Amino acid sequence: MMDIRPVLFVNGFLLLVLAAAMGFPAVVDLRADDGDWKVFAVSAMATGFVALALVFGARPKGRPSLTPRQAFMLPVIAWLLTATFAALPFAFSTLRLSPTDALFEAMSGLTTTGATVIIGLDKAPKGILLWRALLNWLGGEGIIIMAVVILPLLRIGGMQVFRMESSDKTDKIKPRITQVATAITLIYAAFTALTAVAFWAAGMGRFDAVCHAMAAVSTGGFSTSDANLAHWNTAVQWVAIFAMLVGGSSFTLWIGPWKNWRPKVLDDAQTHWYLMFLGAFAGVLALWQWAVNDMSPGVALRHAAFSVTSVVTTTGFVSTNYSAWGGFAHVVFFVLLFIGGCTGSPAGGVKIFRWELLFAMAGIHLKRLLHPHGIFVIHYNQRPIGQAVLDSVLGFVVMYFFTFAAFALALTMVGVDLVTALSGSASALGNVGPGVGSTIGPMGSYRGLPEAAKWILSFEMMLGRLELFTVAVLFSRSYWRE
Amino acid sequence: MMDIRPVLFVNGFLLLVLAAAMGFPAVVDLRADDGDWKVFAVSAMATGFVALALVFGARPKGRPSLTPRQAFMLPVIAWLLTATFAALPFAFSTLRLSPTDALFEAMSGLTTTGATVIIGLDKAPKGILLWRALLNWLGGEGIIIMAVVILPLLRIGGMQVFRMESSDKTDKIKPRITQVATAITLIYAAFTALTAVAFWAAGMGRFDAVCHAMAAVSTGGFSTSDANLAHWNTAVQWVAIFAMLVGGSSFTLWIGPWKNWRPKVLDDAQTHWYLMFLGAFAGVLALWQWAVNDMSPGVALRHAAFSVTSVVTTTGFVSTNYSAWGGFAHVVFFVLLFIGGCTGSPAGGVKIFRWELLFAMAGIHLKRLLHPHGIFVIHYNQRPIGQAVLDSVLGFVVMYFFTFAAFALALTMVGVDLVTALSGSASALGNVGPGVGSTIGPMGSYRGLPEAAKWILSFEMMLGRLELFTVAVLFSRSYWRE
Ligand SMILES: [K+]
Ligand SMILES: [K+]
């Protein structure tokens, strides 16, 4: 039997953070004289109680350390447990969400998906709005730390490429990890603060600015208005575009030594592809809107840049109803659901570096057909990439599309229509938020979906968030065999 | 510069076969006193003239032999050239199809896709109906020969697994290839004759029986009625199910020594998966139709078995409007568009053996995550499979889905709606025929699509038929660099 105490111990700490976070909406509600503050206070106490029980009850003897088996289980338990407790305020506040809806909203928040079942956000209690933004923000932070600390060690989907240089010397790992995690948390908080100020300067109210800053930098996408970012002015929308751009970039590359005030992120192969890709698609869609649908050039450029950035960074903010742009845009936005941001960011999806490696592999594959005995090596950021990494990347992509299809199938079995099932599955797996079409498209809502569909989507969001294999491994026979 | 004379020489022979084939519809029309016989006679003469010019003009000195570069180009030129000449009768017969429609119909026939732009088949001249069936049949024959002779040599999509045992000893290749090709042609013709007799015994007229036998065994799917197989009785439909089953199986394994009257095909890993897969999906859909849509059990089983077999073998025959079976069936049939038949058959799609290897790779991938230093080997038909084959298979599948998405995108750019674009792209790439939805679904037609969409689909059918890489290689820089 595996010793799950270290897993529970770490999860206790995470719940402690969650309980502390519930203090913020409690204070906001108390100051607004909203009775919901009691809901947050009681939820915080319940969460804190379980947290302390785990921390003290499962305290490991000696130094804490994780075996690979424990490392696979840790994030799965973490997202399940935090989502369950994060759902309490949704269920018991004046919104009175059903257990299904409350868990969907919490899981959607913590996975930075941002799909919502709540209608009437503009008049919702401020505490709940802040709580949703906080879930996005904490989930985003959690996922960056996981992508930096856990996934490379587990070699999931080629992530070993991003192993820290020093990670082979065991004696230096722990202080280095703490250092990196602290630096990332600081830069993440700094970007959020900057974005909040920029939103406020562009004309948003202070509360909305803070909430949207947390939702943007985390690529979460929860808004405080049913109309989402379409509710605010042009300047606010441009600020959102830049905040989402930062949210989808590699946070690992923002830290570390800047030479001449130039962060490493600007010299990274993934960043270059990311920007080229966004520019190309935004350009094509802007042209399309201008030439085919008679949109004025400035408006076309803003909405195209906004919508493409929003979907590729998997934020899911909405500035306009791009579902009304016609069939071509439908398919573009459907395809964009699969792209994803950069590794080391809170963004979901397949991720840019995997597409880069896939593209390189395709090129080499063609060369090999003509030169069977030639020797070809794939480079990434000037470093040669080994076969094991390429295998992992391919395995990941195949598994990704397989999961997408299986969940789309499951959704139709419980009565969801074709377009909603396909785009809903892709959106949940990529943690994007909106899908395509009238039900869950940019102007739609997840509220009306069948109960069963919400459970399927909640599980799929978690699966996507944890890069599939952390979860899949737990279902494999060899994991449980000793 | 590459010497393209051997390519043209072989293509001359193929055109000669096509010209000879035009004789059959000419005779049928002549006997029916239909003026269209002249169209076939003139088309045959034009085709025969060009064929002879190529055969004599491009006759290579010494023994004919192909370099890899020439072998890549041969099938592309072959399908382009034969489709162009095969389109002549469609353009000049009393149907008077536009050039676009004529080429679409011819390419659809020769790639065994079976998507049609003709409405009014029940009253169409017999010559045209026979010509469509012949195109299916000749295209199917061509593709088996290509899959057995050319693709394994070019190592496309892992096809090197199916290289003939003796193919490494160069002195023995040619006689062996001729022998195998002859045997396959005989068994293909025998199955077609058997099917025709069975159709006739089940109640079809003689002419329809022959046409449908050619369309079934080739997995082409052209019918002589707008209502397709729904026009005929239950017995005919069961015959079609078995004929399609045979059409989707490995013809290479039907030849060779039978032990105790048991062909090798029954002991093959691919055949087992093929049958299990068909059984499972037919069973699930039959249950669904019975339990959810209140179909009587016998009818549900027949239509489920028919429709699943038709789509997986990429035949595209239709016994009922399965588009009316609801959202779950929609997605099932959409997913089935990607599966494909067995290698060594005239069926299209990704093909069963590639799914088997993908599945095995996924299993090993999970094991490797837990045991980084373990050594795992994938076996196929009891033989170990090397990394180069697995790479090719993965490369193929990734390229397949990429092509699917790119063409779906192109279709929407010319004004096709989302569901039609997605299912049309998948259907053309897999050479299936019908898509999903009301436009090109089982009861729909390709006739109403925009001109540009028909060209896009024609090209995609060819791309799918030639397993992508034969065409893709021609577009690569290294192909043309010397
Ligand atoms: K999101
Ligand atoms: K077909």
Side-chain angles (χ1 to χ4, degrees), chain A residues 154-155 288 327-328 331-332 365-370 372 387 391-392 394 398 409 412-413 418 469 473 479, chain B residues 154-155 288 327-328 331-332 365-366 368-370 372 387 391-392 394 398 409 412-413 418 469 473 479:
Chain A
L154 300 181
R155 293 159 304 113
W288 178 267
F328 171 61
V331 181
V332 169
H365 193 72
L366 284 181
K367 280 190 193 154
R368 277 219 188 100
L369 287 175
L370 288 164
Q387 188 61 43
D391 280 355
S392 296
L394 277 170
V398 170
L409 212 55
T412 56
M413 285 198 73
L418 184 66
F469 284 101
V473 160
Y479 183 85
Chain B
L154 300 182
R155 295 159 304 116
W288 179 267
F328 171 61
V331 181
V332 169
H365 194 72
L366 284 181
R368 276 217 188 100
L369 286 176
L370 288 164
Q387 187 63 43
D391 280 355
S392 298
L394 277 170
V398 170
L409 212 55
T412 56
M413 285 199 75
L418 183 67
F469 285 100
V473 160
Y479 183 87

Side-chain angles (χ1 to χ4, degrees), chain A residues 414-468:
Chain A
V414 300
V416 177
D417 70 281
L418 184 66
V419 170
T420 304
L422 289 175
S423 67
S425 177
S427 187
L429 191 59
N431 301 121
V432 180
V436 172
S438 53
T439 312
I440 56 165
M443 291 290 139
S445 164
Y446 283 77
R447 173 172 237 167
L449 293 186
E451 290 262 298
K454 288 173 184 166
W455 285 100
I456 291 170
L457 288 168
S458 299
F459 184 65
E460 195 180 9
M461 290 177 208
M462 189 183 78
L463 212 52
R465 185 71 289 183
L466 303 182
E467 306 243 310
L468 304 173

Side-chain angles (χ1 to χ4, degrees), chain B residues 51-68:
Chain B
L52 291 174
L54 287 177
V55 169
F56 289 105
R59 191 178 42 201
K61 287 151 202 147
R63 285 167 149 243
S65 69
L66 288 175
T67 66

Side-chain angles (χ1 to χ4, degrees), chain B residues 112-114 219-221 314-316 431-433:
Chain B
T112 75
T113 306
T219 74
T314 73
T315 309
N431 302 121
V432 179

